[in-house]
Amino acid sequence: MKFFIDTADSREIRDLASTGLLDGVTTNPSLIAKTGRNMLEVISEICDLVEGPVSAEVTATDFETMLKEGEKLARLADNVAVKVPLTWAGLKTCKALSGQGIMVNVTLCFSAAQALLAAKAGASFISPFVGRLDDIATDGMALISEIRQIYDNYDSLATEILVASVRNPRHVVDAAKLGADVATLPPAVLKQLIAHPLTDRGLEAFLADWHKTGQAIL
Ligand code: G3P
């Protein structure tokens, strides 16, 4: 399973990229707004920090402008994945950009029918928002399972399932069990993945015993 990081904070991305565990980055207009910086500068900077896909979202709602925005974003770097919303204009833009060999991430997916449309439009990634479904008392993971089943039925559908709106480590584990291709994690959730009190306690005990031996490996 690939791990993307869901932030536009380049300092945080630089820090986490140094673990060697980052396969890409996702941003959205809300995350860009949080930085208070110019979007084009931020995206170019992030594209230099990671080799994998960096999602940059269009903000127009009509096809013609969305396409122009997408083409402009794609020119920033080879690893830009243009993010478009799951609307008819977004799907048309997805079809046009993917036809030009540009990666497209179709976002704001809340149903299997939407995911099927995005795959048919040539999306590289579909982003189902599991946390926001859970928020309205709907099982977000059930959607991942449904999309996995549908995509696996057709070799012609090459779209990767990118689990978004991830809120906790359980979401990551459940998505991995279902065979999702990617999870995009807020930095806090990525850091939570490693935490276990028995690991901390076990290490403490090993080191205490080791120090008693008076030995050193180096
Ligand atoms: O990847 C989409 C994500 O940023 C949305 O997350 O927590 O705002 O639903 P959230």
Side-chain angles (χ1 to χ4, degrees):
M1 183 189 225
K2 285 179 264 190
F3 283 172
F4 289 1
I5 193 86
D6 197 28
T7 180
D9 181 336
S10 37
R11 225 179 21 175
E12 207 143 29
I13 295 167
R14 189 176 291 111
D15 184 38
L16 292 166
S18 70
T19 62
L21 297 175
L22 274 200
D23 301 299
V25 176
T26 50
T27 68
N28 61 39
S30 306
L31 293 171
I32 295 286
K34 239 166 122 179
T35 68
R37 298 181 56 201
N38 175 277
M39 177 189 183
L40 302 182
E41 271 173 37
V42 172
I43 296 296
S44 302
E45 194 173 288
I46 297 173
C47 286
D48 281 343
L49 293 175
V50 295
E51 279 179 22
V54 174
S55 291
E57 189 160 341
V58 299
T59 52
T61 51
D62 66 288
F63 166 65
E64 286 78 13
T65 321
M66 242 188 222
L67 183 59
K68 281 188 200 137
E69 286 185 352
E71 286 169 342
K72 181 168 180 176
L73 292 171
R75 280 195 296 273
L76 292 176
D78 287 346
N79 54 338
V80 165
V82 175
K83 212 173 182 188
V84 300
L86 224 155
T87 59
W88 289 115
L91 292 177
K92 262 176 86 174
T93 306
C94 175
K95 185 84 185 158
L97 292 173
S98 59
Q100 295 179 36
I102 295 169
M103 287 186 285
V104 182
N105 177 358
V106 179
T107 190
L108 290 167
C109 170
F110 294 95
S111 80
Q114 291 179 326
L116 184 53
L117 284 172
K120 283 185 70 67
S124 303
F125 303 101
I126 181 69
S127 290
F129 278 33
V130 293
R132 291 193 193 181
L133 281 171
D134 289 355
D135 289 346
I136 57 159
T138 305
D139 184 0
M141 271 316 139
L143 174 59
I144 302 303
S145 168
E146 233 183 328
I147 300 173
R148 180 74 285 156
Q149 191 186 342
I150 291 168
Y151 284 6
D152 285 351
N153 281 344
Y154 302 98
D155 288 342
S156 56
L157 301 182
T159 305
E160 293 190 53
I161 303 173
L162 192 172
V163 181
S165 186
V166 166
R167 303 275 172 78
N168 54 58
R170 195 68 241 168
H171 276 151
V172 183
V173 172
D174 288 342
K177 282 165 75 177
L178 290 169
D181 303 284
V182 191
T184 188
L185 316 179
V189 174
L190 181 61
K191 289 173 189 161
Q192 280 170 1
L193 286 182
I194 201 169
H196 200 289
L198 290 181
T199 304
D200 299 340
R201 217 183 300 162
L203 182 60
E204 209 176 297
F206 284 155
L207 292 181
D209 290 340
W210 173 249
H211 290 315
K212 283 185 218 151
T213 70
Q215 298 181 52
I217 295 176
L218 294 177

